[in-house]
Amino acid sequence: MSAQIILATAADGLAKLDNYVKAGGYQALRKVLTEKMSADAIIAEVKASGLRGRGGAGFPTGLKWSFMPKNYDGVKYLVCNSDEGEPGTCKDRDILRYNPHVLIEGMAIAAYTMSVKAGYNYIHGEIFEAYEVMEAACEEARKAGYLGKNILGFDFEFDLHNHMGYGAYVCGEETALLESIEGKKGQPRFKPPFPASFGLYGKPTTINNTETFASIPYIICEGGQKFAELGVPNSGGIKLFSISGHVNNPGNFELPMGTPFKKLLELAGGVRNGHKLKAVIPGGSSMPVLPAEIMMDVNLDYDSLQKAGSYLGSGAVIVMDETTCMVKALERLSYFYFEESCGQCTPCREGTGWLYRIIHRIEHGEGKPEDLDLLLSLCDNIAGRTVCALGDAAAWPVQGMLKHFRKEFEYHIEHKRCLV
Amino acid sequence: MLSQQIITLIDKELKKYPADQRQSAVMAALRFVQDEKGWIAPDDMSDIAEYLGMPQMAVFEVATFYHMYNLKPMGQYTLTVCTNLSCQLCGSGDTLEHLHKRLGIGLGEVTANGKYGIREGECMGACVDAPMFSINNKQLCGRLTNEKIDQILAELDKQ
């Protein structure tokens, strides 16, 4: 396999089954079936790979798989979370539209491991083109015997269906996503019970991100150890990074974990029009912003970013140059969380509205000096006090901005205009 | 009444789910109605409820929870402009302004001839192509400039 493990472009033509097979596709699935690999052996391999959930939370994948009940006679489900709506993130879209079979193969291996016969792939509603590619790819895989009954002639059955979302960020939360597949409003469930015991239609369910599943075939073919060694300790493997905002060449890049941010910025053509870098949101809009001087020395992996005061999240890197008004940027993000709160928990439903209204008034020259402390106190009353993490996601950007760019907010309040 | 075409599409969708989980097809059913009529009226929701065997209120809950459903006519071509952070940094404000200048309408409005409507969207998950809008939730048009917007509108004008 080439250095590019998951990421493809339209020119690679991998959306067509023949091309995917010619490029070595479905060998991992064939391997687990031919060698009759045990579930324990596969899980051990995934654990050795150091693969952690690529949706943003970074939960160890092998461990998650081991939570599914074994020797269980009833129906179990496998769900892929392709509801990629965290602002800045658009890596899964390229897997879906340019390399759909690597996802199907990864899910089939996961299904074999956990003895699951039915799976759903929940796709972000805004990317209809990717949904159509996935529908066609599943149909092609079904006809060729990679999905359905007696896969590749073995006594193994797994079918996969695509379910389209229709514009609700909160459905990226795994239990909201399950509610949505069940045909309901996407309001997260209280946990426990966790999906591994009470998931889709009340049955044991495992949910992983698209990129997570797509990493599995490589791990099976080449071994978990080899995947782990591509990255750095505690952040195994390669990762897709979406870099957007103020760069000359925005795009998706597949890089080893631990790659310096400086390198990614270089690949993206540097800051647009030769401007100076001001700040970066390193892992999707929910992650705390970091100023340029910290970012330019940071490596892109779980531990390095956490040490720097933010998180790797989904690997979506939003770049802001010196012309960016941080108040305006935060106003837009806060509006997003206010708009997308499902309304179930009071601290989030009311709190996100307060955050937005206060930041809005600061941006529009009506802020008061006490507003900044009020914002922080609101954050304390939202984060950690809700059923799902959307509350935390709304609070972290505010806390990050006030930690690093408080002066800019104070200037706005005092002078009723922008510093930049 | 749901058209035969919509019924056929819903039936195909129902095959994806366990037989006793017809409600799972509600999101798709609403989408099919919108694709055919441009928006979803309360009567359509009743028809879907009846066909899937679920309470009408449960259909209404879904239709109002997910942003991409049009609950009023939004023109033959609904242009949904993403204004979230990556798009904002790349000039979604200019996109909106140019559309406003060209079409004479703002967010949530429809042109007098019923041809175009503009909605504000949340992150479309295609941020590297900012700024962007989608046409009828089907086609994403990215890396927009005023010239590119004019070209797209000229194409749509012909249809």
Side-chain angles (χ1 to χ4, degrees):
Chain A
M1 290 213 191
S2 66
Q4 296 283 299
I5 294 169
I6 299 169
L7 194 62
T9 63
D12 297 325
L14 293 179
K16 282 268 159 270
L17 179 63
D18 282 354
N19 295 340
Y20 180 70
V21 171
K22 261 183 236 156
Y26 285 111
Q27 273 174 16
L29 178 61
R30 199 176 286 277
K31 179 180 162 165
V32 299
L33 293 174
T34 314
E35 295 179 9
K36 296 192 169 42
M37 279 179 82
S38 70
D40 287 345
I42 297 173
I43 290 176
E45 212 58 66
V46 176
K47 280 183 177 168
S49 76
L51 178 64
R52 294 168 60 171
R54 298 296 197 232
F59 192 82
T61 306
L63 188 60
K64 193 185 240 188
W65 288 12
S66 69
F67 293 156
M68 278 289 262
K70 297 173 190 88
N71 308 319
Y72 173 91
D73 285 340
V75 177
K76 293 189 256 187
Y77 289 105
L78 189 66
V79 173
C80 176
N81 186 346
S82 300
D83 191 22
E84 188 178 43
E86 170 85 3
T89 320
C90 51
K91 63 190 177 68
D92 296 336
R93 174 185 180 225
D94 278 2
I95 298 176
L96 298 170
R97 59 183 184 157
Y98 298 144
N99 205 359
H101 288 286
V102 79
L103 171 62
I104 298 174
E105 184 177 6
M107 286 191 77
I109 293 167
Y112 168 85
T113 310
M114 291 175 270
S115 308
V116 176
K117 289 182 183 157
Y120 292 97
N121 179 24
Y122 189 101
I123 301 176
H124 195 47
E126 283 84 345
I127 49 173
F128 184 72
E129 181 201 356
Y131 173 80
E132 282 189 307
V133 174
M134 273 312 300
E135 283 281 273
C138 285
E139 194 51 44
E140 232 190 332
R142 212 168 281 132
K143 281 195 179 129
Y146 294 103
L147 285 176
K149 289 185 175 140
N150 299 318
I151 290 177
L152 293 173
F154 291 86
D155 180 26
F156 166 52
E157 174 186 350
F158 174 64
D159 210 348
L160 174 63
H161 295 291
N162 300 295
H163 181 105
M164 216 163 117
Y166 227 54
Y169 168 69
V170 73
C171 288
E173 196 281 340
E174 59 180 11
T175 57
L177 187 152
L178 297 178
E179 291 283 303
S180 186
I181 298 180
E182 292 180 4
K184 301 170 190 161
K185 293 186 285 186
Q187 290 190 317
R189 298 174 184 170
F190 190 82
K191 292 188 275 192
F194 289 94
S197 50
F198 189 93
L200 183 61
Y201 307 126
K203 310 291 184 199
T205 302
T206 290
I207 304 144
N208 286 130
N209 167 256
T210 318
E211 186 188 347
T212 309
F213 280 127
S215 304
I216 298 298
Y218 179 89
I219 291 167
I220 296 299
C221 278
E222 306 289 325
Q225 189 61 29
K226 191 167 169 192
F227 183 83
E229 283 165 5
L230 294 171
V232 291
N234 208 28
S235 298
I238 40 85
K239 168 97 192 74
L240 303 188
F241 293 93
S242 310
I243 180 163
S244 66
H246 292 155
V247 288
N248 285 314
N249 176 28
N252 284 316
F253 298 90
E254 182 169 1
L255 299 169
M257 283 283 201
T259 299
F261 164 73
K262 220 184 279 182
K263 173 87 192 290
L264 175 64
L265 183 61
E266 205 180 288
L267 288 170
V271 181
R272 66 163 186 185
N273 307 330
H275 284 177
K276 227 176 102 193
L277 181 69
K278 179 173 188 175
V280 176
I281 299 175
S285 68
S286 309
M287 303 301 145
V289 67
L290 292 174
E293 53 278 18
I294 293 182
M295 271 318 281
M296 288 311 273
D297 285 328
V298 96
N299 293 341
L300 300 168
D301 60 73
Y302 294 107
D303 293 347
S304 301
L305 274 160
Q306 201 169 344
K307 227 177 278 168
S310 189
Y311 299 96
L312 180 74
S314 60
V317 178
I318 305 174
V319 174
M320 294 178 265
D321 73 12
E322 58 196 327
T323 67
T324 312
C325 167
M326 300 314 253
V327 182
K328 193 174 172 190
L330 185 62
E331 182 200 18
R332 185 59 185 85
L333 287 183
S334 294
Y335 177 74
F336 172 64
Y337 295 105
F338 165 52
E339 180 73 24
E340 298 295 335
S341 171
C342 81
Q344 184 176 212
C345 310
T346 310
C348 174
R349 182 188 63 241
E350 302 301 322
T352 52
W354 275 101
L355 289 178
Y356 168 64
R357 287 190 295 273
I358 293 170
I359 299 162
H360 179 81
R361 78 180 177 218
I362 297 174
E363 167 66 10
H364 291 84
E366 288 163 11
K368 305 169 199 163
E370 60 270 28
D371 278 351
L372 301 184
D373 288 334
L374 181 57
L375 282 173
L376 290 175
S377 129
L378 271 163
C379 288
D380 288 342
N381 283 296
I382 301 171
R385 294 170 197 274
T386 53
V387 162
C388 83
L390 196 143
D392 308 64
W396 287 353
V398 177
Q399 290 165 329
M401 282 287 191
L402 288 179
K403 182 173 168 194
H404 295 291
F405 297 97
R406 190 176 174 116
K407 281 204 166 62
E408 210 167 300
F409 285 77
E410 286 168 351
Y411 187 94
H412 243 279
I413 291 169
E414 198 182 331
H415 300 275
K416 306 192 185 309
R417 64 184 173 83
C418 244
L419 188 63
V420 292
Chain B
M1 274 277 285
L2 299 172
S3 72
Q4 192 49 51
Q5 195 202 346
I6 289 176
I7 299 266
T8 308
L9 287 169
I10 296 176
D11 286 347
K12 198 178 155 210
E13 207 66 20
L14 280 168
K15 292 204 179 88
K16 295 180 175 178
Y17 310 99
D20 59 349
Q21 300 290 349
R22 292 173 67 86
Q23 184 168 341
S24 282
V26 66
M27 290 183 70
L30 287 164
R31 172 160 57 90
F32 299 144
V33 168
Q34 180 161 316
D35 286 348
E36 188 179 275
K37 304 183 176 180
W39 69 294
I40 303 156
D43 281 351
D44 301 317
M45 296 185 207
S46 318
D47 293 341
I48 290 172
E50 196 181 329
Y51 192 68
L52 295 179
M54 59 191 281
Q56 201 177 323
M57 181 48 85
V59 179
F60 182 76
E61 278 182 357
V62 169
T64 51
F65 187 84
Y66 298 90
H67 302 307
M68 289 165 65
Y69 295 118
N70 291 339
L71 301 180
K72 57 174 189 174
M74 280 310 301
Q76 186 186 351
Y77 297 107
T78 311
L79 309 179
T80 307
V81 185
C82 176
T83 58
N84 214 305
L85 187 56
S86 295
C87 282
Q88 182 186 72
L89 293 171
C90 294
S92 60
D94 298 337
T95 306
L96 277 177
E97 204 181 296
H98 191 67
L99 283 174
H100 177 69
K101 213 185 293 171
R102 282 291 318 271
L103 302 174
I105 51 169
L107 286 175
E109 294 174 350
V110 182
T111 54
N113 62 4
K115 182 123 187 171
Y116 297 103
I118 308 178
R119 287 191 64 176
E120 184 174 32
E122 284 302 347
C123 186
M124 310 217 169
C127 315
V128 298
D129 293 334
M132 73 193 72
F133 59 60
S134 71
I135 305 172
N136 290 344
N137 298 331
K138 288 285 180 292
Q139 189 192 347
L140 272 184
C141 305
R143 307 206 180 203
L144 294 172
T145 57
N146 288 352
E147 295 71 43
K148 199 164 168 189
I149 294 170
D150 289 342
Q151 276 171 20
I152 293 166
L153 291 178
E155 277 302 311
L156 293 177
D157 277 338
K158 279 187 234 157
Q159 288 170 27

